[in-house]
Amino acid sequence: MSFASFGDFLAMGSHGAYVWSAYGICLVILVLNVMLPLHARRRYLQDEARRLRREESR
């Protein structure tokens, strides 16, 4: 499938809104699949460090 112009490519034969929104949703999901575990790990490590400091001060 070839397109005459970049505008035609973006329009995707009048299916552009569906195609680009699907790509956008997939990109958001992929980014979340990377970022959420990293954030949870950082929070876990901070909580464990806080717990260890609390236990040491007893």
Side-chain angles (χ1 to χ4, degrees), residues 6-57:
F6 188 68
D8 289 343
F9 171 72
L10 291 178
M12 292 279 175
S14 76
H15 298 291
Y18 170 75
V19 171
W20 296 114
S21 64
Y23 275 116
I25 290 168
C26 287
L27 180 63
V28 167
I29 290 170
L30 289 174
V31 168
L32 287 174
N33 277 333
V34 171
M35 298 304 293
L36 289 177
L38 291 175
H39 180 68
R41 179 180 183 269
R42 186 175 356 135
R43 188 178 331 147
Y44 170 76
L45 291 175
Q46 288 173 347
D47 290 344
E48 284 299 305
R50 205 174 298 127
R51 184 184 63 79
L52 287 173
R53 281 192 303 268
R54 239 182 301 139
E55 287 181 2
E56 288 175 356
S57 66

